[in-house]
Amino acid sequence: MNIVDLEFIKLISISSPSKIILMVLDGLGGLPKLETGKTELETASTPNLDKLATHGICGLIDPVSPGITPGSGPGHLALFGYDPVRFNIGRGVLEALGIDFNLQPGDVAARGNFCSVDKAGLVTDRRAGRISTEECARLCRLLDGAMIDNVRVLLSPVKEHRFIAVFRGEGLVHDVNDSDPQQLDVAPKAITALTPEANMMANVANQFVNRAKTILVEHHPANMLLLRGFSQRPQLPTMNEVYKLNPAVIASYPMYRGLAKLMGMEVLKTGSSVEAELATLKENYNNYDFFFLHVKGTDAAGEDGDFDRKVKVIEEVDNALTNITSLEPDVIVVTGDHSTPALLKSHSWHPVPILLHSKWCRRDEVKEFSESACINGGLGRFPATQIISLAMANALKLTKFGA
Amino acid sequence: MNIVDLEFIKLISISSPSKIILMVLDGLGGLPKLETGKTELETASTPNLDKLATHGICGLIDPVSPGITPGSGPGHLALFGYDPVRFNIGRGVLEALGIDFNLQPGDVAARGNFCSVDKAGLVTDRRAGRISTEECARLCRLLDGAMIDNVRVLLSPVKEHRFIAVFRGEGLVHDVNDSDPQQLDVAPKAITALTPEANMMANVANQFVNRAKTILVEHHPANMLLLRGFSQRPQLPTMNEVYKLNPAVIASYPMYRGLAKLMGMEVLKTGSSVEAELATLKENYNNYDFFFLHVKGTDAAGEDGDFDRKVKVIEEVDNALTNITSLEPDVIVVTGDHSTPALLKSHSWHPVPILLHSKWCRRDEVKEFSESACINGGLGRFPATQIISLAMANALKLTKFGA
């Protein structure tokens, strides 16, 4: 068994008072700066993480598999044992989660762009000159709430030209293609059903687009819209069903809260700093046995190509770490959902350092939490989907398999 | 996902001008000599490979899985991401590829042995005293070209007692058992269909064997023949379809060219030395974005049990390596399709060292290309089927998976 099977884990998981904290530094893994030969994590001064590594066991994880660069959805699903290829989450749903939109079962969500078209209807700017978020909100209000063939279309602004369109009604199926042609000087594509069941969805979506075209005609540069990534909320077995955990998420960014909610985690209200997140942890520590703490700053700095800022965020986390260790949880895991090297300014395929600290972890010789030190860690290199069973084992929450 | 799925990679692969060179030293991995404790690769002086390893990242690959000794077919399919268990290539087809026989879709190829039988028809020598290749060619000509029930039977000599029989006609299905009993003092087996669809194939093959028996009766020791490994050319998705690569093979041995052709690689004419192969690479460098370079000498020396010759071939490759590095390809991978330790005189199951060199590889601490040093490499130990996605990631030829 290489892919952790949820049904299998379900058979051997047990509920217990022991506590697990999984701290995810988004985009943690990096690449070395030419001048120093050190990555962001290797450059940062991290006495507390190094101490945890020294007393714990380390390794490297592959979120999907070697060479594959995961988006945030797959990266996070894998961390909680959900096969990210099997449970792929569509773009529309992810955007909806990202603005805390309360998606209902059956809703079909699409990511939208306001765009510019010329008189012939050909796309001249896929982002409508990046109109302001306020303008986007105003246009969304114009289009929001339409009823088309018993389907309600709900629009919510995201940022600048971006919005989501949510189709709510009976019998909608998300298997339709994008209207966004992803190129200029062509007309938006008609939305067509990829399966017979999705005919109604395609029909409603096309009616909506035509209606929007009429309404937007005088709102140049935002005189048209493009839709892509039609998708429905996947039905994931919850972490309580599979792992018998009572899990909570502490994340300042809505998308990660939304992803966690899909897996059945309780969302805890928190602030936007690492300190605020750790304060939330402390307050709620007695009420849950599994905490997912998400730190966004590492990824954001990596995406911006800001090596030094990423170093600083890691140091900030290290500083705050005593707030976790002082709680003396049974298991602490620190890792990332993927690498985001500042040098690449994007997510990447490189494996991510992981440390696991527990009384029963069988510590290795690694004394430093870094990409290069983790190569020789006792956990070796393994798929991220196996983290959760490893953490549960260390929390004595898995029983023996077989007699 | 541990076995890289071709359909999955297809979704995220993109075409780009970046270049990948995969150099395969056939049977590269070895076992240490008792006297020195060093393998062939560790004994060889390899300053250029060591330099690549120092600036690159290393690891160990398992062609099929730990403990499994692959033939040349599975070993090579895995290197290009094709699951070698799912896409098994039959013995007959492999032999045909090995003599550059132009197999047509639908052809059924079998590996043949001329053999000796006694008056009762029982096999007394499965190899007919290893008749000369010339004698084999003469006998093949006697039998070549027969038409049986609208099926043409084509015979081609291979080496000594070995030949191939290719059955060409409409509606042939390869699911029949061998006639070769693989033991002495029994009669050759009747060929029987394993599925109803293969009835015609079995019928034609038996008629052919009976005919051959009559013709060969006076040609002792080669007075009979045995057939095994009936198989048809598998329909593999091409590397262009899956990876959007424009790949070429440079190999002096026909079997490897044939295997590469099955995967859609363009075959480049080349000479028989490593230098000749590298000259071919240089000449054609601008025309392709992926090159598979195959070096046979390491495996041949290993099979012969010639430790020192294998060392010499590795040193020859190392010497010529600057011809690759001077081209400055985006990604260089050096590995083998399996181990062939001179001490075992055969293919083996031992994992094979691999090095990957690219701007984005995240170099490790390995400073020497060897079995023991690669154990601590940053790539860890992984299935050979993942090499190609890793190489493509490093060439920035894979987009992000999921939003």
Side-chain angles (χ1 to χ4, degrees):
Chain A
M1 195 185 65
N2 282 285
I3 292 173
V4 178
D5 188 275
L6 299 179
E7 287 303 314
F8 174 75
I9 294 291
K10 194 173 175 173
L11 289 175
I12 55 170
S13 63
I14 51 170
S15 178
S16 84
S18 61
K19 286 180 193 287
I20 300 171
I21 296 177
L22 171 59
M23 185 164 203
V24 177
L25 306 189
D26 203 302
L28 173 63
L31 280 173
K33 237 185 180 164
L34 213 65
E35 298 83 346
T36 62
K38 290 184 169 188
T39 67
E40 298 89 324
L41 179 58
E42 287 159 10
T43 304
S45 164
T46 54
N48 293 313
L49 284 167
D50 294 346
K51 199 172 152 192
L52 269 189
T54 303
H55 293 108
I57 184 167
C58 291
L60 288 170
I61 53 159
D62 286 293
V64 180
S65 75
I68 309 304
T69 298
S72 299
H76 274 87
L77 285 183
L79 290 176
F80 302 98
Y82 296 81
D83 177 357
V85 175
R86 185 174 151 209
F87 296 111
N88 196 9
I89 296 179
R91 182 72 199 220
V93 169
L94 217 57
E95 291 280 344
L97 298 177
I99 57 165
D100 248 342
F101 187 96
N102 193 13
L103 274 186
Q104 306 293 313
D107 282 359
V108 174
R111 153 74 189 268
N113 273 18
F114 286 109
C115 70
S116 313
V117 291
D118 62 15
K119 279 177 186 166
L122 309 184
V123 178
T124 55
D125 183 346
R126 283 187 58 252
R127 297 178 183 86
R130 292 189 184 275
I131 51 168
S132 70
T133 306
E134 295 69 38
E135 173 67 2
C136 179
R138 203 173 63 83
L139 295 172
C140 282
R141 279 194 299 273
L142 287 181
L143 301 169
D144 184 43
M147 278 297 286
I148 301 172
D149 295 354
N150 284 321
V151 174
R152 175 82 65 189
V153 189
L154 305 163
L155 263 72
S156 293
V158 177
K159 196 184 172 186
E160 298 174 342
H161 55 283
R162 304 175 191 91
F163 65 90
I164 58 161
V166 174
F167 298 82
R168 180 170 292 167
E170 291 290 309
L172 293 177
V173 170
H174 66 158
D175 300 315
V176 298
N177 71 329
D178 299 346
S179 81
D180 189 341
Q182 301 271 1
Q183 51 179 314
L184 300 182
D185 300 322
V186 297
K189 293 190 286 184
I191 294 161
T192 55
L194 302 171
T195 62
E197 293 76 25
N199 278 335
M200 182 170 89
M201 179 70 243
N203 194 278
V204 169
N206 283 319
Q207 287 186 58
F208 168 71
V209 170
N210 288 332
R211 199 185 126 94
K213 193 177 178 178
T214 315
I215 294 176
L216 293 173
V217 70
E218 280 163 23
H219 293 272
H220 186 85
N223 62 349
M224 185 50 175
L225 52 75
L226 303 171
L227 298 175
R228 59 188 160 110
F230 287 83
S231 44
Q232 279 166 304
R233 214 178 73 174
Q235 286 304 309
L236 300 178
T238 69
M239 288 177 72
N240 186 265
E241 282 163 24
V242 178
Y243 305 120
K244 303 182 186 75
L245 291 169
N246 184 15
V249 54
I250 302 173
S252 56
Y253 268 58
M255 193 177 77
Y256 306 95
R257 294 196 296 262
L259 277 167
K261 227 180 346 183
L262 285 182
M263 299 180 263
M265 286 185 240
E266 189 78 22
V267 175
L268 303 182
K269 274 203 180 132
T270 192
S272 63
S273 68
V274 175
E275 285 72 24
E277 292 195 0
L278 291 177
T280 306
L281 172 67
K282 209 166 181 175
E283 283 159 32
N284 292 275
Y285 191 65
N286 291 328
N287 305 331
Y288 304 90
D289 58 5
F290 182 97
F291 294 90
F292 159 38
L293 258 88
H294 183 263
V295 174
K296 180 66 181 173
T298 29
D299 179 61
E303 292 264 10
D304 289 347
D306 194 335
F307 192 99
D308 296 340
R309 199 173 96 224
K310 190 168 163 192
V311 170
K312 244 183 99 184
V313 176
I314 295 170
E315 291 181 341
E316 194 187 335
V317 169
D318 188 81
N319 254 319
L321 207 66
T322 47
N323 291 307
I324 295 184
T325 50
S326 64
L327 294 170
E328 297 186 0
D330 298 84
V331 178
I332 302 174
V333 177
V334 182
T335 188
D337 56 333
H338 53 73
S339 293
T340 307
L343 270 71
L344 276 172
K345 293 187 183 184
S346 66
H347 291 198
S348 79
W349 63 90
H350 301 89
V352 188
I354 180 169
L355 78 77
L356 185 150
H357 181 271
S358 94
K359 189 176 171 186
W360 309 113
C361 71
R362 195 199 269 169
R363 61 197 265 189
D364 56 21
E365 296 297 311
V366 175
K367 292 183 171 43
E368 183 192 310
F369 189 48
S370 74
E371 287 87 346
S372 35
C374 284
I375 289 174
N376 297 312
L379 294 176
R381 183 168 173 173
F382 65 106
T385 44
Q386 296 174 349
I387 294 172
I388 187 91
S389 46
L390 209 55
M392 291 187 62
N394 275 277
L396 307 182
K397 287 178 188 290
L398 292 181
T399 59
K400 187 162 66 175
F401 166 62
Chain B
M1 195 186 68
N2 281 283
I3 291 175
V4 179
D5 188 275
L6 298 179
E7 286 304 313
F8 174 77
I9 294 290
K10 196 173 173 173
L11 288 175
I12 56 171
S13 62
I14 51 168
S15 179
S16 84
S18 60
K19 286 178 192 287
I20 300 172
I21 296 178
L22 170 60
M23 184 165 203
V24 177
L25 305 188
D26 203 302
L28 174 63
L31 280 173
K33 236 181 179 166
L34 213 67
E35 298 83 344
T36 62
K38 291 184 169 187
T39 67
E40 298 89 323
L41 179 58
E42 287 160 9
T43 304
S45 163
T46 54
N48 292 312
L49 284 167
D50 295 346
K51 199 172 151 190
L52 269 189
T54 303
H55 294 109
I57 184 166
C58 290
L60 287 171
I61 54 159
D62 287 292
V64 180
S65 70
I68 308 303
T69 297
S72 299
H76 274 86
L77 286 182
L79 289 176
F80 302 98
Y82 296 81
D83 176 358
V85 175
R86 182 172 154 212
F87 296 110
N88 196 11
I89 295 180
R91 182 70 198 221
V93 169
L94 216 57
E95 291 280 342
L97 297 177
I99 57 165
D100 247 341
F101 187 97
N102 191 12
L103 275 186
Q104 307 292 312
D107 282 0
V108 174
R111 153 74 187 268
N113 273 18
F114 287 110
C115 70
S116 312
V117 292
D118 62 16
K119 280 174 187 168
L122 308 184
V123 178
T124 57
D125 183 345
R126 282 186 56 253
R127 296 177 184 87
R130 291 188 185 274
I131 52 168
S132 69
T133 305
E134 294 71 37
E135 174 67 0
C136 178
R138 203 173 63 80
L139 296 173
C140 282
R141 280 193 299 274
L142 287 180
L143 302 170
D144 184 42
M147 278 297 286
I148 300 172
D149 296 354
N150 285 322
V151 174
R152 176 81 68 189
V153 189
L154 304 163
L155 263 73
S156 293
V158 177
K159 198 183 170 186
E160 299 174 339
H161 54 283
R162 305 174 189 93
F163 65 90
I164 57 160
V166 174
F167 299 82
R168 180 170 292 167
E170 292 289 308
L172 293 177
V173 170
H174 67 160
D175 300 315
V176 299
N177 70 330
D178 299 344
S179 81
D180 189 340
Q182 300 271 3
Q183 52 177 313
L184 300 182
D185 300 323
V186 296
K189 293 191 285 185
I191 294 159
T192 54
L194 303 171
T195 62
E197 293 76 23
N199 278 334
M200 180 169 90
M201 179 69 244
N203 193 278
V204 169
N206 283 317
Q207 287 185 59
F208 168 72
V209 170
N210 288 331
R211 198 185 126 97
K213 191 176 180 180
T214 315
I215 294 174
L216 294 172
V217 70
E218 281 164 21
H219 293 271
H220 186 85
N223 62 348
M224 185 49 176
L225 53 73
L226 302 171
L227 299 175
R228 59 188 161 108
F230 287 82
S231 44
Q232 279 166 304
R233 215 177 73 173
Q235 286 304 311
L236 301 179
T238 69
M239 288 178 72
N240 186 266
E241 281 164 22
V242 178
Y243 305 120
K244 303 182 186 74
L245 291 169
N246 184 16
V249 54
I250 302 174
S252 57
Y253 269 58
M255 194 176 77
Y256 305 95
R257 294 195 295 262
L259 277 167
K261 229 183 337 188
L262 285 181
M263 298 179 261
M265 285 186 240
E266 188 80 21
V267 175
L268 302 182
K269 273 199 181 136
T270 192
S272 62
S273 67
V274 174
E275 285 72 24
E277 292 195 359
L278 291 177
T280 306
L281 171 68
K282 208 166 184 176
E283 282 160 32
N284 292 275
Y285 190 65
N286 291 329
N287 305 329
Y288 303 90
D289 58 6
F290 182 96
F291 294 90
F292 158 37
L293 258 88
H294 183 264
V295 175
K296 179 66 180 173
T298 30
D299 179 61
E303 292 264 10
D304 289 347
D306 194 335
F307 192 100
D308 296 340
R309 200 173 96 227
K310 191 169 163 193
V311 170
K312 245 183 100 181
V313 177
I314 294 169
E315 291 182 341
E316 194 187 334
V317 169
D318 188 81
N319 253 319
L321 207 66
T322 47
N323 291 306
I324 294 185
T325 49
S326 64
L327 295 170
E328 297 184 0
D330 298 85
V331 178
I332 302 175
V333 177
V334 183
T335 188
D337 56 334
H338 53 73
S339 293
T340 307
L343 269 72
L344 276 172
K345 294 188 183 184
S346 67
H347 291 197
S348 79
W349 63 92
H350 302 88
V352 187
I354 180 169
L355 78 76
L356 186 150
H357 181 272
S358 95
K359 188 177 171 186
W360 306 113
C361 71
R362 193 198 267 170
R363 59 197 268 189
D364 57 20
E365 296 296 310
V366 175
K367 292 180 171 46
E368 183 193 308
F369 188 49
S370 73
E371 288 85 346
S372 35
C374 284
I375 290 175
N376 297 313
L379 293 175
R381 184 168 171 171
F382 65 105
T385 44
Q386 295 174 349
I387 294 172
I388 187 92
S389 46
L390 209 54
M392 290 187 65
N394 275 276
L396 307 182
K397 287 178 189 288
L398 291 181
T399 58
K400 189 163 69 172
F401 165 61

